[in-house]
PDB file of all heavy atoms in Angstrom:
ATOM      1  N   VAL A 226       3.438  21.264 -18.382  1.00 77.00           N
ATOM      2  CA  VAL A 226       4.661  20.657 -18.935  1.00 77.00           C
ATOM      3  C   VAL A 226       4.499  20.240 -20.362  1.00 77.00           C
ATOM      4  O   VAL A 226       5.246  19.482 -20.872  1.00 77.00           O
ATOM      5  CB  VAL A 226       5.039  19.444 -18.067  1.00 77.00           C
ATOM      6  CG1 VAL A 226       5.389  19.812 -16.608  1.00 77.00           C
ATOM      7  CG2 VAL A 226       3.933  18.343 -18.044  1.00 77.00           C
ATOM      8  N   ALA A 227       3.468  20.773 -20.997  1.00 80.00           N
ATOM      9  CA  ALA A 227       3.266  20.468 -22.408  1.00 80.00           C
ATOM     10  C   ALA A 227       4.422  21.001 -23.273  1.00 80.00           C
ATOM     11  O   ALA A 227       4.738  20.435 -24.310  1.00 80.00           O
ATOM     12  CB  ALA A 227       1.956  21.079 -22.897  1.00 80.00           C
ATOM     13  N   SER A 228       5.093  22.035 -22.790  1.00 83.00           N
ATOM     14  CA  SER A 228       6.211  22.630 -23.479  1.00 83.00           C
ATOM     15  C   SER A 228       7.018  23.456 -22.520  1.00 83.00           C
ATOM     16  O   SER A 228       6.506  23.784 -21.389  1.00 83.00           O
ATOM     17  CB  SER A 228       5.752  23.514 -24.691  1.00 83.00           C
ATOM     18  OG  SER A 228       5.137  24.673 -24.180  1.00 83.00           O
ATOM     19  N   VAL A 229       8.214  23.800 -22.910  1.00 85.00           N
ATOM     20  CA  VAL A 229       9.054  24.684 -22.083  1.00 85.00           C
ATOM     21  C   VAL A 229       8.350  26.028 -21.817  1.00 85.00           C
ATOM     22  O   VAL A 229       8.306  26.518 -20.728  1.00 85.00           O
ATOM     23  CB  VAL A 229      10.462  24.837 -22.617  1.00 85.00           C
ATOM     24  CG1 VAL A 229      11.259  25.866 -21.836  1.00 85.00           C
ATOM     25  CG2 VAL A 229      11.206  23.484 -22.679  1.00 85.00           C
ATOM     26  N   ASP A 230       7.851  26.550 -22.932  1.00 89.00           N
ATOM     27  CA  ASP A 230       7.178  27.892 -22.786  1.00 89.00           C
ATOM     28  C   ASP A 230       5.946  27.812 -21.890  1.00 89.00           C
ATOM     29  O   ASP A 230       5.733  28.706 -21.116  1.00 89.00           O
ATOM     30  CB  ASP A 230       6.690  28.352 -24.202  1.00 89.00           C
ATOM     31  CG  ASP A 230       7.880  28.769 -25.091  1.00 89.00           C
ATOM     32  OD1 ASP A 230       8.923  29.027 -24.536  1.00 89.00           O
ATOM     33  OD2 ASP A 230       7.668  28.845 -26.353  1.00 89.00           O
ATOM     34  N   ALA A 231       5.216  26.658 -21.947  1.00 90.00           N
ATOM     35  CA  ALA A 231       4.016  26.509 -21.085  1.00 90.00           C
ATOM     36  C   ALA A 231       4.436  26.536 -19.648  1.00 90.00           C
ATOM     37  O   ALA A 231       3.781  27.106 -18.788  1.00 90.00           O
ATOM     38  CB  ALA A 231       3.227  25.271 -21.440  1.00 90.00           C
ATOM     39  N   TYR A 232       5.552  25.756 -19.343  1.00 90.00           N
ATOM     40  CA  TYR A 232       5.987  25.683 -17.985  1.00 90.00           C
ATOM     41  C   TYR A 232       6.494  27.020 -17.472  1.00 90.00           C
ATOM     42  O   TYR A 232       6.150  27.377 -16.361  1.00 90.00           O
ATOM     43  CB  TYR A 232       7.116  24.653 -17.804  1.00 90.00           C
ATOM     44  CG  TYR A 232       7.531  24.398 -16.410  1.00 90.00           C
ATOM     45  CD1 TYR A 232       6.675  23.722 -15.512  1.00 90.00           C
ATOM     46  CD2 TYR A 232       8.688  24.905 -15.900  1.00 90.00           C
ATOM     47  CE1 TYR A 232       7.022  23.571 -14.202  1.00 90.00           C
ATOM     48  CE2 TYR A 232       9.064  24.800 -14.572  1.00 90.00           C
ATOM     49  CZ  TYR A 232       8.169  24.113 -13.743  1.00 90.00           C
ATOM     50  OH  TYR A 232       8.512  24.016 -12.418  1.00 90.00           O
ATOM     51  N   VAL A 233       7.256  27.748 -18.273  1.00 91.00           N
ATOM     52  CA  VAL A 233       7.765  28.982 -17.836  1.00 91.00           C
ATOM     53  C   VAL A 233       6.593  29.948 -17.575  1.00 91.00           C
ATOM     54  O   VAL A 233       6.588  30.755 -16.613  1.00 91.00           O
ATOM     55  CB  VAL A 233       8.663  29.580 -18.907  1.00 91.00           C
ATOM     56  CG1 VAL A 233       9.046  31.043 -18.586  1.00 91.00           C
ATOM     57  CG2 VAL A 233       9.965  28.772 -18.965  1.00 91.00           C
ATOM     58  N   ALA A 234       5.576  29.930 -18.438  1.00 93.00           N
ATOM     59  CA  ALA A 234       4.409  30.740 -18.247  1.00 93.00           C
ATOM     60  C   ALA A 234       3.644  30.402 -17.033  1.00 93.00           C
ATOM     61  O   ALA A 234       3.171  31.322 -16.240  1.00 93.00           O
ATOM     62  CB  ALA A 234       3.470  30.606 -19.435  1.00 93.00           C
ATOM     63  N   SER A 235       3.561  29.130 -16.671  1.00 92.00           N
ATOM     64  CA  SER A 235       2.836  28.709 -15.429  1.00 92.00           C
ATOM     65  C   SER A 235       3.625  29.194 -14.174  1.00 92.00           C
ATOM     66  O   SER A 235       3.064  29.584 -13.201  1.00 92.00           O
ATOM     67  CB  SER A 235       2.682  27.198 -15.360  1.00 92.00           C
ATOM     68  OG  SER A 235       3.900  26.525 -15.138  1.00 92.00           O
ATOM     69  N   CYS A 236       4.929  29.203 -14.231  1.00 93.00           N
ATOM     70  CA  CYS A 236       5.794  29.691 -13.137  1.00 93.00           C
ATOM     71  C   CYS A 236       5.623  31.217 -12.996  1.00 93.00           C
ATOM     72  O   CYS A 236       5.567  31.725 -11.850  1.00 93.00           O
ATOM     73  CB  CYS A 236       7.268  29.329 -13.328  1.00 93.00           C
ATOM     74  SG  CYS A 236       7.561  27.571 -13.165  1.00 93.00           S
ATOM     75  N   LYS A 237       5.623  31.911 -14.121  1.00 94.00           N
ATOM     76  CA  LYS A 237       5.419  33.375 -14.047  1.00 94.00           C
ATOM     77  C   LYS A 237       4.108  33.751 -13.453  1.00 94.00           C
ATOM     78  O   LYS A 237       3.947  34.670 -12.682  1.00 94.00           O
ATOM     79  CB  LYS A 237       5.629  33.951 -15.425  1.00 94.00           C
ATOM     80  CG  LYS A 237       7.027  34.069 -15.952  1.00 94.00           C
ATOM     81  CD  LYS A 237       7.047  34.678 -17.327  1.00 94.00           C
ATOM     82  CE  LYS A 237       8.573  34.788 -17.815  1.00 94.00           C
ATOM     83  NZ  LYS A 237       8.572  35.406 -19.204  1.00 94.00           N
ATOM     84  N   ALA A 238       3.052  32.967 -13.831  1.00 94.00           N
ATOM     85  CA  ALA A 238       1.749  33.211 -13.294  1.00 94.00           C
ATOM     86  C   ALA A 238       1.689  32.971 -11.831  1.00 94.00           C
ATOM     87  O   ALA A 238       1.073  33.738 -11.088  1.00 94.00           O
ATOM     88  CB  ALA A 238       0.706  32.275 -13.964  1.00 94.00           C
ATOM     89  N   ALA A 239       2.326  31.926 -11.356  1.00 94.00           N
ATOM     90  CA  ALA A 239       2.388  31.686  -9.887  1.00 94.00           C
ATOM     91  C   ALA A 239       3.108  32.786  -9.136  1.00 94.00           C
ATOM     92  O   ALA A 239       2.759  33.182  -8.076  1.00 94.00           O
ATOM     93  CB  ALA A 239       3.044  30.298  -9.644  1.00 94.00           C
ATOM     94  N   LYS A 240       4.177  33.243  -9.737  1.00 94.00           N
ATOM     95  CA  LYS A 240       5.023  34.300  -9.124  1.00 94.00           C
ATOM     96  C   LYS A 240       4.217  35.613  -9.047  1.00 94.00           C
ATOM     97  O   LYS A 240       4.189  36.336  -8.040  1.00 94.00           O
ATOM     98  CB  LYS A 240       6.302  34.499  -9.862  1.00 94.00           C
ATOM     99  CG  LYS A 240       7.219  35.532  -9.150  1.00 94.00           C
ATOM    100  CD  LYS A 240       8.548  35.656  -9.856  1.00 94.00           C
ATOM    101  CE  LYS A 240       9.488  36.613  -9.146  1.00 94.00           C
ATOM    102  NZ  LYS A 240      10.811  36.713  -9.725  1.00 94.00           N
ATOM    103  N   GLU A 241       3.493  35.912 -10.152  1.00 95.00           N
ATOM    104  CA  GLU A 241       2.701  37.149 -10.186  1.00 95.00           C
ATOM    105  C   GLU A 241       1.547  37.074  -9.182  1.00 95.00           C
ATOM    106  O   GLU A 241       1.158  38.112  -8.549  1.00 95.00           O
ATOM    107  CB  GLU A 241       2.123  37.406 -11.608  1.00 95.00           C
ATOM    108  CG  GLU A 241       3.218  37.799 -12.612  1.00 95.00           C
ATOM    109  CD  GLU A 241       2.699  37.840 -14.049  1.00 95.00           C
ATOM    110  OE1 GLU A 241       1.468  37.575 -14.200  1.00 95.00           O
ATOM    111  OE2 GLU A 241       3.499  38.124 -14.972  1.00 95.00           O
ATOM    112  N   LYS A 242       0.883  35.951  -9.064  1.00 94.00           N
ATOM    113  CA  LYS A 242      -0.203  35.862  -8.202  1.00 94.00           C
ATOM    114  C   LYS A 242       0.109  35.722  -6.678  1.00 94.00           C
ATOM    115  O   LYS A 242      -0.522  36.345  -5.843  1.00 94.00           O
ATOM    116  CB  LYS A 242      -1.077  34.607  -8.564  1.00 94.00           C
ATOM    117  CG  LYS A 242      -2.365  34.478  -7.755  1.00 94.00           C
ATOM    118  CD  LYS A 242      -3.235  33.348  -8.268  1.00 94.00           C
ATOM    119  CE  LYS A 242      -4.546  33.263  -7.520  1.00 94.00           C
ATOM    120  NZ  LYS A 242      -5.453  32.148  -8.060  1.00 94.00           N
ATOM    121  N   TYR A 243       1.214  34.943  -6.404  1.00 94.00           N
ATOM    122  CA  TYR A 243       1.523  34.691  -4.970  1.00 94.00           C
ATOM    123  C   TYR A 243       2.802  35.380  -4.540  1.00 94.00           C
ATOM    124  O   TYR A 243       3.027  35.600  -3.376  1.00 94.00           O
ATOM    125  CB  TYR A 243       1.635  33.195  -4.758  1.00 94.00           C
ATOM    126  CG  TYR A 243       0.299  32.483  -4.988  1.00 94.00           C
ATOM    127  CD1 TYR A 243       0.053  31.812  -6.183  1.00 94.00           C
ATOM    128  CD2 TYR A 243      -0.683  32.469  -3.994  1.00 94.00           C
ATOM    129  CE1 TYR A 243      -1.136  31.179  -6.398  1.00 94.00           C
ATOM    130  CE2 TYR A 243      -1.884  31.842  -4.207  1.00 94.00           C
ATOM    131  CZ  TYR A 243      -2.117  31.146  -5.410  1.00 94.00           C
ATOM    132  OH  TYR A 243      -3.291  30.524  -5.577  1.00 94.00           O
ATOM    133  N   GLY A 244       3.742  35.617  -5.536  1.00 93.00           N
ATOM    134  CA  GLY A 244       5.048  36.164  -5.100  1.00 93.00           C
ATOM    135  C   GLY A 244       5.739  35.347  -4.069  1.00 93.00           C
ATOM    136  O   GLY A 244       5.864  34.096  -4.217  1.00 93.00           O
ATOM    137  N   TYR A 245       6.056  35.939  -2.988  1.00 92.00           N
ATOM    138  CA  TYR A 245       6.629  35.242  -1.780  1.00 92.00           C
ATOM    139  C   TYR A 245       5.695  35.308  -0.556  1.00 92.00           C
ATOM    140  O   TYR A 245       6.203  35.262   0.571  1.00 92.00           O
ATOM    141  CB  TYR A 245       8.018  35.833  -1.490  1.00 92.00           C
ATOM    142  CG  TYR A 245       9.002  35.627  -2.670  1.00 92.00           C
ATOM    143  CD1 TYR A 245       9.097  36.631  -3.592  1.00 92.00           C
ATOM    144  CD2 TYR A 245       9.633  34.470  -2.796  1.00 92.00           C
ATOM    145  CE1 TYR A 245      10.028  36.485  -4.673  1.00 92.00           C
ATOM    146  CE2 TYR A 245      10.557  34.291  -3.882  1.00 92.00           C
ATOM    147  CZ  TYR A 245      10.681  35.305  -4.749  1.00 92.00           C
ATOM    148  OH  TYR A 245      11.568  35.124  -5.835  1.00 92.00           O
ATOM    149  N   SER A 246       4.435  35.445  -0.827  1.00 91.00           N
ATOM    150  CA  SER A 246       3.459  35.666   0.241  1.00 91.00           C
ATOM    151  C   SER A 246       3.260  34.435   1.120  1.00 91.00           C
ATOM    152  O   SER A 246       2.797  34.545   2.272  1.00 91.00           O
ATOM    153  CB  SER A 246       2.100  36.074  -0.359  1.00 91.00           C
ATOM    154  OG  SER A 246       1.595  34.945  -1.135  1.00 91.00           O
ATOM    155  N   LEU A 247       3.686  33.257   0.673  1.00 91.00           N
ATOM    156  CA  LEU A 247       3.536  32.038   1.454  1.00 91.00           C
ATOM    157  C   LEU A 247       4.827  31.618   2.155  1.00 91.00           C
ATOM    158  O   LEU A 247       4.906  30.480   2.677  1.00 91.00           O
ATOM    159  CB  LEU A 247       3.029  30.930   0.570  1.00 91.00           C
ATOM    160  CG  LEU A 247       1.694  31.133  -0.180  1.00 91.00           C
ATOM    161  CD1 LEU A 247       1.322  29.893  -0.946  1.00 91.00           C
ATOM    162  CD2 LEU A 247       0.604  31.521   0.808  1.00 91.00           C
ATOM    163  N   ASP A 248       5.803  32.438   2.102  1.00 90.00           N
ATOM    164  CA  ASP A 248       7.161  32.116   2.708  1.00 90.00           C
ATOM    165  C   ASP A 248       7.043  31.524   4.092  1.00 90.00           C
ATOM    166  O   ASP A 248       7.806  30.610   4.453  1.00 90.00           O
ATOM    167  CB  ASP A 248       8.069  33.383   2.709  1.00 90.00           C
ATOM    168  CG  ASP A 248       8.646  33.655   1.375  1.00 90.00           C
ATOM    169  OD1 ASP A 248       8.088  33.171   0.376  1.00 90.00           O
ATOM    170  OD2 ASP A 248       9.726  34.377   1.271  1.00 90.00           O
ATOM    171  N   GLY A 249       6.178  32.141   4.929  1.00 89.00           N
ATOM    172  CA  GLY A 249       6.092  31.738   6.288  1.00 89.00           C
ATOM    173  C   GLY A 249       5.169  30.579   6.592  1.00 89.00           C
ATOM    174  O   GLY A 249       5.081  30.077   7.731  1.00 89.00           O
ATOM    175  N   ASP A 250       4.512  30.053   5.490  1.00 92.00           N
ATOM    176  CA  ASP A 250       3.595  28.988   5.646  1.00 92.00           C
ATOM    177  C   ASP A 250       4.277  27.610   5.551  1.00 92.00           C
ATOM    178  O   ASP A 250       5.213  27.419   4.785  1.00 92.00           O
ATOM    179  CB  ASP A 250       2.484  29.003   4.596  1.00 92.00           C
ATOM    180  CG  ASP A 250       1.536  30.158   4.756  1.00 92.00           C
ATOM    181  OD1 ASP A 250       1.826  30.996   5.657  1.00 92.00           O
ATOM    182  OD2 ASP A 250       0.645  30.310   3.937  1.00 92.00           O
ATOM    183  N   ILE A 251       3.779  26.658   6.315  1.00 93.00           N
ATOM    184  CA  ILE A 251       4.170  25.256   6.179  1.00 93.00           C
ATOM    185  C   ILE A 251       3.117  24.556   5.406  1.00 93.00           C
ATOM    186  O   ILE A 251       1.937  24.457   5.823  1.00 93.00           O
ATOM    187  CB  ILE A 251       4.419  24.578   7.574  1.00 93.00           C
ATOM    188  CG1 ILE A 251       5.601  25.234   8.261  1.00 93.00           C
ATOM    189  CG2 ILE A 251       4.574  23.097   7.440  1.00 93.00           C
ATOM    190  CD1 ILE A 251       5.886  24.735   9.676  1.00 93.00           C
ATOM    191  N   SER A 252       3.436  24.044   4.276  1.00 95.00           N
ATOM    192  CA  SER A 252       2.462  23.481   3.337  1.00 95.00           C
ATOM    193  C   SER A 252       2.585  21.946   3.385  1.00 95.00           C
ATOM    194  O   SER A 252       3.592  21.328   3.023  1.00 95.00           O
ATOM    195  CB  SER A 252       2.674  23.970   1.908  1.00 95.00           C
ATOM    196  OG  SER A 252       2.738  25.374   1.885  1.00 95.00           O
TER     197      SER A 252
END
Side-chain angles (χ1 to χ4, degrees):
V226 297
S228 68
V229 173
D230 288 343
Y232 184 72
V233 171
S235 73
C236 290
K237 285 182 177 178
K240 186 174 182 178
E241 289 173 1
K242 184 172 183 179
Y243 297 99
Y245 298 94
S246 61
L247 303 182
D248 281 21
D250 291 3
I251 292 177
S252 305

